Amino acid sequence: MINKTTFVFPSVGATYSLFGFCRKTTIDKKSTHIGNLLPLCTKKKPIAPDSRSLRCSQEDKLSSGKERLEFAPVDWSENSPLKELVFEPDEREEPETRVNVGYDRRCEEAVNNHICVEYTASYVYHGLFAFFDRDTVALPGFAKYFNEQSLEERQHAHEFIQYQNSRGGRVVLKPIALPEMGFESLNATSDVLYAMDLHLQLEKYVYRKLLQLHKVATEVEDVQLQDFIEKYLQHQIDAIKVAAEYVAQIKRVGTGHGVYDIDRKLL
């Protein structure tokens, strides 16, 4: 078995080899020619690529002035730091996932539950949009506001689905829990107040569910999931503040004209 293989540069005088094959290159002043891949040895058994490493011996030179790169033994014992460089192919033909790196099943289930929470909020807001868009209600500003809230919650659900897939989890969509809504009053002020108060309670509900999800991530020490959730926690704090302010403003104006003025500002 040949322990040294030349990657010949007559004008440079250096030799290289890698993973049992090399390219033989001849360089002179007139032309350059790159040959095909040449095996490291003439015998049938190739040199194992993980049994040797490159080491340049500056002292060992040929009479022509060319340097030679030698293979030195490598420590592949269990305590060797190089042991981490040994990779094994996935033996299964169709693995469930290739990206799961310590993603706990409890986190996977909790993320699926929260996807349902986000879709539920989106569904409720879409219902509020449909109410204020009616010709007998005719508050296009509130209709626009709740439609935007619905799209935002749906986008959050979409982002959690993408996160689930990026961690190697399996997305399982669950039934939406729709709260009972009723607009039985005869004046627009109380309808708007009811809708905004429902908006406030829904934002608080989503916030509490995010805290539960964060608690699961903390218990299993999944710091990456914790980091992902925390940006949504801040968003919910801001949304709760906005909804609470609208409730206070609607109670303050207390008249049909005041509601109409708020509606115009929401357009």
Side-chain angles (χ1 to χ4, degrees), residues 129-143 188 191-192 259-260 263-264 267:
F129 154 74
F131 173 78
F132 288 108
D133 192 53
R134 294 178 60 188
D135 66 294
T136 56
V137 180
L139 290 173
F142 284 99
D191 281 344
V192 170
V259 170
Y260 176 80
D263 183 75
R264 294 295 98 184
L267 284 174

Side-chain angles (χ1 to χ4, degrees), residues 142 189 249-250 253-264:
F142 284 99
T189 301
Q249 290 172 9
I250 294 168
V253 295
T255 65
H257 186 275
V259 170
Y260 176 80
D261 185 63
I262 295 176
D263 183 75
R264 294 295 98 184

Side-chain angles (χ1 to χ4, degrees), residues 90-128:
D90 198 329
E91 296 180 356
R92 296 171 296 180
E93 294 182 359
E94 293 295 335
E96 183 177 350
T97 177
R98 293 184 176 88
V99 298
N100 190 334
V101 185
Y103 191 46
D104 195 276
R105 289 290 184 181
R106 287 171 289 178
C107 291
E108 180 181 345
E109 177 66 18
V111 169
N112 279 330
N113 290 337
H114 192 75
I115 291 171
C116 181
V117 169
E118 297 289 349
Y119 274 130
T120 299
S122 176
Y123 198 55
V124 172
Y125 287 139
H126 217 191
L128 294 175

Side-chain angles (χ1 to χ4, degrees), residues 185-200:
S185 57
L186 299 177
N187 62 83
T189 301
S190 57
D191 281 344
V192 170
L193 181 59
Y194 171 80
M196 276 298 174
D197 189 58
L198 179 60
H199 173 33
L200 174 61

